[in-house]
Amino acid sequence: YVATIDVMTTWRVGDHHRLLALENKPYDIAFGPDPLSRAKERLELTRRYCLETGIDRLVLHGEMFPRELCVNLDMLEPAYTLHAQGQIRQSSAYQTLVDSMNADGYGTAPHELIQRLASLVSLHPDQLWQMLNLALWHQDIDHDLALPLKTWMPLVKGGRARKTELLRSWLGGGA
C-alpha cells in the first residue's frame, strides 16, 4: 500500500516559496467519528509526514465551497494550452473586452456588451464569449464566481476579494 498526498503545491509567498499539501476528502470521511477507517488512517499518516517534514497541510472538502463556485469553475475552465491562453490575453481584442467589462459590466449585462463589441473588434460574438470565459477564469474581470453567472445580468464584483481571503486563510497573512 502506497499512501499519497492528493495534491502537493508550491506557493510563492513574498520572496520565498512554500509547499502546501492538499488533501481532498469528503467531510464525512475527514471529520467522521471512526478513527480506524482506512481513509482516516491515511489522513493521519500524511498529517504526521507533513508535520515531520515541515510542509503545511490543508484538508479540503467540497462542502467548504459554494456550489456555484464549483459549477462556474468547471464551466469556465480553459480548453486552451497555457501558451494559447497567453496569446489570447495579449491580444488587443481581449484587452478591449476586459476594459469594457471592467468599465461597464457592473451596470450593463455582458450579453449586451459583447453584442456591441463584436463589430468594434471585428470578431464573431462566439469568440468574444470564449474570451469572456477566459477573462473570468483568470480574474482579469472581477466577478464573484460563487454567485450564479447570469450573463443577461450585470456582473457582481467580489471574486478577487474572495480569492484573496481564501488564500490568506490557507497561507496566512503573507499571501
Side-chain angles (χ1 to χ4, degrees):
Y1 177 71
V2 177
T4 59
I5 294 172
D6 292 328
V7 178
M8 183 67 75
T9 62
T10 303
W11 295 81
R12 183 175 44 215
V13 179
D15 59 350
H16 66 283
H17 290 82
R18 323 178 4 195
L19 289 176
L20 177 63
L22 301 172
E23 300 277 22
N24 184 6
K25 299 290 176 265
Y27 184 86
D28 295 351
I29 292 173
F31 302 101
D34 183 5
L36 299 178
S37 75
R38 187 172 183 97
K40 290 284 276 202
E41 288 175 346
R42 190 174 153 273
L43 284 171
E44 179 59 18
L45 180 64
T46 58
R47 184 193 70 79
R48 290 181 186 189
Y49 172 80
C50 289
L51 185 65
E52 184 69 25
T53 58
I55 298 170
D56 293 324
R57 178 176 167 266
L58 185 62
V59 178
L60 301 172
H61 47 89
E63 298 91 345
M64 292 175 71
F65 301 100
R67 182 183 177 285
E68 284 299 329
L69 177 62
C70 299
V71 168
N72 286 332
L73 291 176
D74 281 345
M75 177 187 69
L76 295 171
E77 182 178 10
Y80 306 106
T81 65
L82 288 176
H83 177 72
Q85 289 178 49
Q87 288 182 318
I88 293 167
R89 292 176 76 201
Q90 291 174 4
S91 73
S92 62
Y94 181 87
Q95 195 55 57
T96 299
L97 172 81
V98 167
D99 291 345
S100 178
M101 290 294 167
N102 282 323
D104 302 322
Y106 305 104
T108 304
H111 179 75
E112 280 183 57
L113 292 175
I114 282 181
Q115 295 306 315
R116 284 188 222 159
L117 289 173
S119 60
L120 179 69
V121 296
S122 300
L123 289 175
H124 191 276
D126 290 347
Q127 293 170 292
L128 288 173
W129 281 110
Q130 291 173 1
M131 289 181 180
L132 175 64
N133 288 352
L134 190 62
L136 290 168
W137 174 266
H138 283 283
Q139 292 189 315
D140 294 329
I141 299 168
D142 182 22
H143 173 71
D144 188 351
L145 293 173
L147 301 174
L149 179 57
K150 299 176 180 176
T151 57
W152 61 93
M153 302 284 293
L155 299 172
V156 179
K157 286 188 180 192
R160 292 178 187 151
R162 184 179 295 276
K163 178 181 175 185
T164 298
E165 186 53 40
L166 185 62
L167 290 175
R168 188 169 287 124
S169 72
W170 289 1
L171 302 172

